Amino acid sequence: EADIYQTPRYLVIGTGKKITLECSQTMGHDKMYWYQQDPGMELHLIHYSYGVNSTEKGDLSSESTVSRIRTEHFPLTLESARPSHTSQYLCASSVSSNQPQHFGDGTRLSIL
Amino acid sequence: DQQVKQNSPSLSVQEGRISILNCDYTNSMFDYFLWYKKYPAEGPTFLISISSIKDKNEDGRFTVFLNKSAKHLSLHIVPSQPGDSAVYFCAASAVRGGGADGLTFGKGTHLIIQP
């Protein structure tokens, strides 16, 4: 079972601030993902990575950016937060495409 | 347009009975399907999956059925227990599709197990 950790769990911050959401996994999975979920809605893929130095945009357009300098670490950054960025952000990892993705507990972000 | 649909936002089942959660999909490229369970303030937890080469997969109390011609899958939980009360998400991916390598999710069904 994958161990995947997200920090912070909750963040309330003002408009215009730069935010980095952290995601780390300890299982050595090459594939990592970021999803965004609004209350009562489905999860939407916003970024994914096949491995170190690989990043791709997902199905849902997002103003956030990601980086993958180390296998275990896949941070997401918002350069200038806006109220429209208020949402839950979930990170996941997997061994391969035909294996389950394992999720962290998410970061609930509120932009005032 | 939603490619994965869970048409029942909620479902109430008596403890000990069978819970059946349904999911429909529209993308014929999907070939790998999963069910996740989610408690409030936690991330989704993987339950069970099925490849399109199968029509049934069983793991303990959980069984997933896939009907490719109808583009429909269902999750059966027998017997239902109070700890099964959660939101259940259906998800799908096109492993051989060569597109964005992620899961497409439904909106979830809130399962409530009544004592």
Side-chain angles (χ1 to χ4, degrees), chain B residues 24 30-31 34 58 66 69 97 101:
Chain B
D24 297 294
F30 287 149
D31 53 11
L34 309 90
E58 194 170 351
L66 175 63
S69 60
D101 186 14

Side-chain angles (χ1 to χ4, degrees), chain A residues 39-56:
Chain A
M41 301 297 286
E42 63 268 53
L43 284 71
H44 287 285
L45 180 71
I46 52 174
H47 298 285
Y48 61 101
S49 167
Y50 291 124
V52 171
N53 294 325
S54 153
T55 60
E56 302 287 345

Side-chain angles (χ1 to χ4, degrees), chain A residues 9-10 31 33 35 37 40-43 45 48 50 59 88 90 97-101 103-105, chain B residues 2 32 34 36 38 41-46 49 89 93 95 99-107:
Chain A
R9 291 292 312 278
Y10 303 92
K31 293 179 179 286
Y33 312 83
Y35 292 85
Q37 185 191 23
M41 301 297 286
E42 63 268 53
L43 284 71
L45 180 71
Y48 61 101
Y50 291 124
D59 304 320
Q88 183 175 39
L90 290 152
S97 300
N98 61 354
Q99 293 294 316
Q101 293 180 20
F103 284 81
D105 284 335
Chain B
Q2 269 198 289
Y32 182 55
L34 309 90
Y36 284 86
K38 187 178 185 299
E42 293 184 12
T45 300
F46 168 71
S49 63
F89 288 95
S93 71
V95 173
D101 186 14
L103 297 173
T104 301
F105 281 83
K107 289 186 178 181

